[in-house]
């Protein structure tokens, strides 16, 4: 259902807070719209005035270079006015800052807020306090919907479809919003999802999200089409989840030996930033034949352009 | 509010009532006579106006239920005035407050201060728990004996477990010297680090860290052993899991001196109430799975659970209007205690008298309070209620600054029509 730019395809929700609950059609709206932006981004002139006069605020309560830059570029290429706000989160009263900041920014009439926050559910809470569209740029360990969309776009462009693919998501599932968004998206689109991780990094009852759980890379990777590695979020760990990086890499780091169990043409993905030698071997990460990690970054800008466009234009009644 | 701290005088006849007294098993049409602060007569002989003695003020109960005022064995006091009003509006005439006040109730002067302030208000009677350990720090024993002499009715570190096994063993042992009871918040803290809701599918979906139900039963099983070892008197607060109730059932079967209570959220709600990060449903212990909720109902019905406490925990808007992980745990419960407890009756799990017992005579007995009975010579603390009358919980209408009811929006049945403390009317709806 490819759309040309003039046909308005509506995304029927005001915000994009997560993938959970979206239908395959709703997910496809974003993916389809992204395609034209991939082309646009490869041209010499990468801009289109779709969001001319619109205000986008990147509101980041947590450090991020990639996601913020990606959204910033997306907004600029659509001709929007985009500003970045980083809010220090060192104080214990983070939540007060959250609501107060939301109210303050709301008074400036932005068209869309892109919000990242270290606490699960915080973006949803903020969305209840503002009149504009809100895009979840990652909340705690909950969701990171644009990451899942860009991963899906990357896969779809390489494989032509998502349904029926065997996808392995490997690593720190427990702390990962990327994993949760991808589980929801891939299941919704008919792919089959496996998780591979040591038991300490698997959240309780995750099977009920519709995944198969493995604790051995060789078993879990067997005949997989896609291998998604997750960043080992060591900075978030305050317990004894793992004895050492060395041991983790030995059993769960992606190297050619383990990759040998996946399909020969399996794609390797990583949301970045990578810890080389921790969750992924450098040679594997840089394997031009199989690693699509840089392509993911490219798709990220296109997906975020599509998301910004669909949410901003849908929220301004009758104006397109 | 009709509250005052003047002594009531004269005779009042409450006629035409359905008398419900779980302490004596009474369930009959009749009336009750009070003289000043004391019940002087109860029974079917006082059913009609003509039965009332000459000169008595007559209160026609309209055939509704007259029972002992409710006894709530665990509240956080918050703002005393609004808590006291919430209590009497819910028919609660005696409440025991946790020691996690500021300052902590680990000193005799604080015990006296809390009781005196409550007496001045003349609404609900407030009895304090004393701290088990100084400053609730879990290290050194508080002056249990002196605190008891000053009026502390039992001992607990409130919403913190006494985590150290040696400290808990000594507390149980030392308290037994004076025949005092230790009340434990059953949660192994090292297993709950970062946890903000029940561990399981919902927590995993929401990206929140879970508190495993095992954290509760592990603490209970440990403390049951310590109670057995020391001969101490142990009470487990707000049990919330099936395994916990099983452990207590087994311990009671082995003759160990252990009792427990639960709170309405644990038999009326489950973790689904959290929905999309609803912070009013963030409680401690956390709301559990549906199987656990059903086990709590079963535990109440079969008598394993000895009492129901409201766990009333008022929180201001600022501490609840936060991302779920940062929001303060706790829910208000005084105004909804009766109505939500009555669901056990309306749903056919328990008889009306059995439900009332759990919120009157049973907690009064556990805490050693002169309350919870419609018997001549006892304090005239009464509640008149209509068990059938429906209403909808509206957090905004619960009074006070705090609005954090986990039951907000819930349709319930059971309305308080009159609340009497020491013979004085302290609440009538519509006042």
């Amino acid at each position: 259902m490819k759309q040309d730019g003039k046909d308005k395809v509506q995304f029927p929700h005001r915000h994009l807070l997560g993938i959970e609950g979206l239908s395959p059609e709703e997910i496809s709206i974003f993916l389809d719209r992204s395609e034209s932006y991939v082309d646009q981004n490869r041209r010499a002139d990468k801009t289109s005035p779709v969001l001319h006069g619109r205000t986008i605020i990147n509101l980041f309560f947590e450090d991020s270079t990639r996601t913020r830059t990606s959204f910033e570029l997306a907004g600029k290429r659509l001709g929007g006015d985009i500003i970045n706000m980083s809010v220090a989160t060192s104080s214990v009263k983070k939540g007060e800052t959250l609501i107060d900041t939301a109210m303050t920014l709301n008074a400036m009439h932005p068209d869309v807020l892109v919000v990242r926050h270290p606490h699960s559910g915080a973006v949803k809470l903020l969305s209840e306090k503002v009149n504009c569209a809100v895009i979840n740029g990652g909340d705690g360990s909950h969701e990171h919907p644009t990451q899942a969309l860009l991963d899906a776009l990357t896969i779809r462009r390489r494989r032509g479809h998502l349904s029926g693919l065997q996808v392995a998501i490997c690593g720190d599932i427990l702390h990962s919003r990327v994993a949760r968004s991808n589980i929801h998206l891939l299941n919704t689109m008919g792919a089959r999802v496996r998780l591979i991780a040591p038991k300490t990094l698997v959240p309780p009852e995750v099977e009920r999200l519709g995944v198969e759980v493995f604790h051995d890379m060789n078993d879990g990777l067997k005949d997989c089409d896609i291998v998604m590695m997750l960043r080992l979020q060591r900075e978030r760990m305050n317990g004894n989840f793992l004895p050492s990086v060395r041991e983790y890499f030995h059993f769960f780091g992606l190297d050619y030996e383990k990759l040998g169990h996946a399909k020969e043409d399996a794609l390797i993905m990583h949301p970045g930033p990578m810890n080389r030698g921790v969750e992924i071997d450098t040679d594997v990460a840089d394997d031009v034949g199989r690693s699509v990690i840089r392509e993911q970054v490219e798709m990220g800008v296109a997906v975020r352009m599509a998301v910004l466009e669909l949410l901003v234009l849908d929220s301004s009644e009758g104006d397109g | 509010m009709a509250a005052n701290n003047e002594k009531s005088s004269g005779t009042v006849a409450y006629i035409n009532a359905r008398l419900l007294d779980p302490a004596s098993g009474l369930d009959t049409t009749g009336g009750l006579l009070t003289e000043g602060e004391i019940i002087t007569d109860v029974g079917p002989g006082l059913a009609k106006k003509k039965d009332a003695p000459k000169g008595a003020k007559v209160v026609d109960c309209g055939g509704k239920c007259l029972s002992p005022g409710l006894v709530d064995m665990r509240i956080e006091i918050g703002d005393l005035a609004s808590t006291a009003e919430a209590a009497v509006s819910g028919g609660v005439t005696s409440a025991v407050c946790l020691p996690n006040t500021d300052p902590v109730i680990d000193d005799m002067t604080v015990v006296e201060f809390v009781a005196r302030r409550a007496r001045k208000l003349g609404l609900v009677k407030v009895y304090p728990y004393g701290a088990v350990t100084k400053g609730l720090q879990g290290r050194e024993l508080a002056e249990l004996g002196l605190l008891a002499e000053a009026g502390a009715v039992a001992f607990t570190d409130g919403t913190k477990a006494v985590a150290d096994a040696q400290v808990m063993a000594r507390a149980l042992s030392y308290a037994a010297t004076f025949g005092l009871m230790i009340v434990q918040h059953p949660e192994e803290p090292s297993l709950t680090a970062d946890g903000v809701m029940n561990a399981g599918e919902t927590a995993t979906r929401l990206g929140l860290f879970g508190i495993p139900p095992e954290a509760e039963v592990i603490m209970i099983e440990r403390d049951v052993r310590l109670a057995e070892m020391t001969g101490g008197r142990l009470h487990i607060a707000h049990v919330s899991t099936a395994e916990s109730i099983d452990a207590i059932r087994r311990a009671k079967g082995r003759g160990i001196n252990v009792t427990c209570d639960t709170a309405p959220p644990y038999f009326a709600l489950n973790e689904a109430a959290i929905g999309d990060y609803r912070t009013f449903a963030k409680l401690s212990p956390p709301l559990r799975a549906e199987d656990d909720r059903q086990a709590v109902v079963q535990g109440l019905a079969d008598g394993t659970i000895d009492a129901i406490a409201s766990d009333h925990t008022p929180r201001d808007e600022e501490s609840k209007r936060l991302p779920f992980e940062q929001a303060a745990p706790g829910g208000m419960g005084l105004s909804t205690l009766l109505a939500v407890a009555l669901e056990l009756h309306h749903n056919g799990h328990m008889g009306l008298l059995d439900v009332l017992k759990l919120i009157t005579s049973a907690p009064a007995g556990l805490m050693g309070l002169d309350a919870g009975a419609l018997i001549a010579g006892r304090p005239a603390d009464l509640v008149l209620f209509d068990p059938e009358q429906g209403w909808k919980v509206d957090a905004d209408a619960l009074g006070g600054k705090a609005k954090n009811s986990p039951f907000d929006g819930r349709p319930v049945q059971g309305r308080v029509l009159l609340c009497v403390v020491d013979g004085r009317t302290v609440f009538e709806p519509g006042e």
Side-chain angles (χ1 to χ4, degrees):
Chain A
M1 54 182 266
K2 224 167 178 176
Q3 300 292 331
D4 83 37
K6 281 172 192 161
D7 262 339
K8 249 181 39 174
V9 180
Q10 295 261 330
F11 177 66
H13 305 284
R14 180 177 200 188
H15 309 299
L16 178 62
L17 300 177
I19 298 294
E20 188 177 13
L22 296 186
S23 68
E25 293 73 27
E26 289 164 356
I27 290 167
S28 297
I29 291 172
F30 289 121
L31 300 183
D32 295 343
R33 195 74 194 95
S34 303
E35 293 284 0
S36 66
Y37 287 121
V38 175
D39 299 337
Q40 179 176 321
N41 288 337
R42 287 177 179 174
R43 292 199 310 251
D45 178 1
K46 301 172 180 59
T47 59
S48 57
V50 176
L51 296 185
H52 178 75
R54 309 299 176 122
T55 306
I56 302 154
I57 301 179
N58 264 338
L59 179 57
F60 278 59
F61 292 88
E62 190 181 73
D63 285 345
S64 157
T65 310
R66 293 165 161 257
T67 304
R68 202 204 60 213
T69 309
S70 185
F71 268 110
E72 190 176 352
L73 213 48
K76 285 188 168 149
R77 285 184 181 169
L78 293 175
D81 298 316
I82 182 154
I83 60 157
N84 292 313
M85 263 194 77
S86 292
V87 183
T89 52
S90 52
S91 102
V92 242
K93 296 280 181 193
K94 281 177 242 183
E96 283 184 358
T97 310
L98 175 70
I99 299 283
D100 291 345
T101 311
M103 304 286 209
T104 306
L105 293 180
N106 190 50
M108 300 179 190
H109 301 294
D111 294 283
V112 60
L113 286 173
V114 179
V115 187
R116 167 166 291 190
H117 198 280
H119 290 297
S120 302
V123 179
K124 150 102 176 136
L125 177 66
L126 185 142
S127 74
E128 292 162 1
K129 311 289 172 194
V130 297
N131 302 319
C132 63
V134 173
I135 297 169
N136 183 356
D139 65 322
S141 306
H142 177 223
E143 285 232 38
H144 190 356
T146 56
Q147 178 71 43
L149 288 168
L150 76 87
D151 288 342
L153 183 66
T154 308
I155 298 169
R156 202 176 76 165
R157 285 173 61 90
R158 284 287 186 137
R159 287 287 179 267
H161 59 95
L162 293 161
S163 68
L165 294 177
Q166 281 281 4
V167 183
I169 305 177
C170 316
D172 185 3
I173 314 288
L174 181 67
H175 297 88
S176 178
R177 52 194 173 215
V178 174
R180 283 173 181 77
S181 285
N182 265 312
I183 290 168
H184 296 309
L185 188 144
L186 293 164
N187 273 330
T188 304
M189 300 307 281
R192 278 174 290 170
V193 182
R194 304 170 177 186
L195 306 179
I196 314 173
K199 287 194 167 190
T200 46
L201 294 180
V202 178
E205 297 184 19
V206 74
E207 298 84 358
R208 297 175 76 161
L209 271 56
V211 297
E212 228 182 319
V213 179
F214 292 82
H215 305 296
D216 180 291
M217 284 287 272
N218 296 345
D219 293 346
L221 289 178
K222 196 169 181 314
D223 298 327
C224 272
D225 298 285
I226 311 288
V227 184
M228 284 186 177
M229 301 307 296
L230 297 173
R231 177 179 169 79
L232 182 68
Q233 309 226 8
R234 280 189 293 172
E235 71 275 15
R236 286 209 187 154
M237 293 202 177
N238 60 358
N240 297 306
F241 291 99
L242 299 168
S244 73
V245 165
R246 181 171 72 174
E247 178 157 330
Y248 182 74
F249 184 72
H250 178 73
F251 291 103
F252 296 96
L254 188 67
D255 55 20
Y256 277 116
E257 198 194 321
K258 298 185 187 98
L259 186 59
H261 294 266
K263 280 191 183 158
E264 215 171 312
D265 61 350
L267 300 177
I268 300 157
M269 305 179 74
H270 193 296
M274 281 183 283
N275 292 307
R276 292 168 185 267
V278 178
E279 71 262 358
I280 191 163
D281 181 71
T282 284
D283 292 343
V284 174
D286 296 336
D287 186 329
V288 285
R290 310 180 69 175
S291 166
V292 292
I293 295 170
R294 270 170 292 178
E295 207 169 305
Q296 287 173 274
V297 178
E298 182 192 355
M299 294 306 123
V301 179
V303 156
R304 286 166 182 132
M305 289 166 83
V307 170
L308 283 171
E309 180 201 341
L310 287 161
L311 287 184
V312 173
L313 297 192
D314 284 359
S315 66
S316 46
E317 301 140 70
D319 188 352
Chain B
M1 188 74 33
N4 60 68
N5 52 5
E6 287 165 26
K7 290 200 170 186
S8 69
S9 54
T11 307
V12 185
Y14 298 87
I15 60 156
N16 187 24
R18 178 179 172 190
L19 298 168
L20 291 165
D21 183 33
S24 60
L26 181 74
D27 180 356
T28 182
T29 303
L32 179 144
L33 212 58
T34 65
E35 178 76 48
E37 302 175 22
I38 303 295
I39 298 171
T40 50
D41 197 6
V42 187
L46 289 162
K48 301 212 165 69
K49 194 170 178 183
K50 64 176 172 57
D51 303 326
K54 256 200 168 141
K57 182 188 162 199
V58 174
V59 177
D60 188 336
C61 296
K64 303 302 185 199
C65 297
L66 187 65
S67 87
L70 309 190
V71 177
D72 189 344
M73 63 180 285
R74 192 174 49 258
I75 65 166
E76 238 180 68
I77 205 136
D79 171 54
L80 178 61
S82 37
T83 299
E85 287 191 18
V88 294
S89 76
V92 176
T93 55
S94 296
V96 188
C97 78
L98 291 175
N100 51 343
T101 43
D102 184 16
V104 169
I105 308 179
D106 61 356
D107 188 90
M108 289 179 289
T109 54
V110 186
V111 172
E112 284 155 9
F113 177 68
V114 169
R116 192 171 63 241
R117 276 182 61 218
R119 267 198 309 277
K120 273 185 86 172
L121 275 174
L123 296 168
V124 62
K125 297 172 179 173
V126 176
Y127 302 89
Y129 279 103
V132 177
T133 64
K134 285 176 187 151
L136 310 174
Q137 293 298 303
R139 290 192 287 269
E140 298 167 61
L141 292 185
E143 294 168 319
L144 307 187
L146 291 173
L147 287 165
E149 273 196 358
V153 294
F155 294 85
T156 181
D157 274 358
T159 51
K160 280 166 80 175
V162 178
D164 187 289
Q166 178 73 281
V167 172
M168 186 63 175
R170 295 223 170 104
L172 283 162
S173 177
Y174 185 75
T177 312
F178 305 101
L180 305 172
M181 183 163 81
I182 302 290
V183 177
Q184 175 74 304
H185 172 72
E187 197 167 75
E188 168 51 51
S190 63
L191 266 179
T192 65
D194 299 332
V196 291
M197 68 169 291
N198 189 43
E201 183 189 349
T202 309
T204 291
R205 277 181 191 279
L206 293 174
L208 296 172
F209 290 94
I211 299 172
E214 289 77 7
E216 183 169 306
V217 69
I218 284 170
M219 189 56 97
I220 291 172
E221 287 182 329
R222 183 200 79 172
D223 286 350
V224 162
R225 296 288 169 188
L226 296 178
E228 192 174 18
M229 177 176 109
T230 58
R233 174 73 180 87
L234 173 67
H235 179 90
I236 307 291
H238 40 221
V239 293
S240 70
T241 78
E243 292 288 338
S244 299
I245 295 162
D246 274 347
I248 291 165
R249 195 178 283 126
R250 285 195 305 273
K252 285 182 165 185
R254 284 168 51 223
I256 296 164
N257 202 356
V258 59
T259 49
C260 68
D261 69 77
T262 192
Y266 306 113
F267 60 80
L269 299 172
N270 63 32
E271 61 189 346
I274 290 168
D276 232 350
Y277 304 100
R278 204 166 149 259
T279 58
F280 282 9
K282 180 176 181 179
L283 306 175
S284 174
L287 291 171
R288 302 288 187 183
E290 174 58 15
D291 288 351
D292 291 311
R293 187 195 69 79
Q294 289 179 19
V296 173
V297 171
Q298 181 55 38
L300 287 162
D302 70 18
T304 304
I305 301 174
D306 301 273
I308 296 171
S310 76
D311 259 4
H312 182 79
T313 311
R315 296 284 184 219
D316 59 17
E317 211 173 338
E318 286 68 40
S319 59
K320 281 290 188 182
R321 230 173 47 151
L322 290 172
F324 196 88
E325 289 164 72
Q326 294 177 309
M332 293 171 72
L334 278 164
S335 336
T336 50
L337 175 63
L338 178 67
V340 180
L342 284 175
E343 290 182 9
L344 294 164
H345 167 61
H346 294 307
N347 295 337
H349 299 298
M350 301 178 76
L352 185 52
L353 268 187
D354 296 325
V355 172
L356 282 176
K357 181 180 172 191
L358 293 167
I359 47 180
T360 57
S361 58
L366 288 168
M367 296 284 112
L369 307 180
D370 184 14
L374 291 188
I375 295 171
R378 306 291 289 273
D381 297 343
L382 312 169
V383 60
L384 179 69
F385 66 95
D386 178 348
E388 309 299 333
Q389 191 183 330
W391 55 290
K392 194 169 168 184
V393 180
D394 176 4
D396 287 329
L398 292 180
K401 265 171 84 178
K403 305 181 189 314
N404 57 310
S405 169
F407 299 109
D408 189 20
R410 187 182 185 90
V412 290
Q413 260 184 296
R415 192 74 167 168
V416 173
L417 303 173
L418 184 69
C419 184
V420 174
V421 172
D422 283 340
R424 288 174 291 108
T425 295
V426 291
F427 175 78
E428 266 185 292
E431 274 189 78

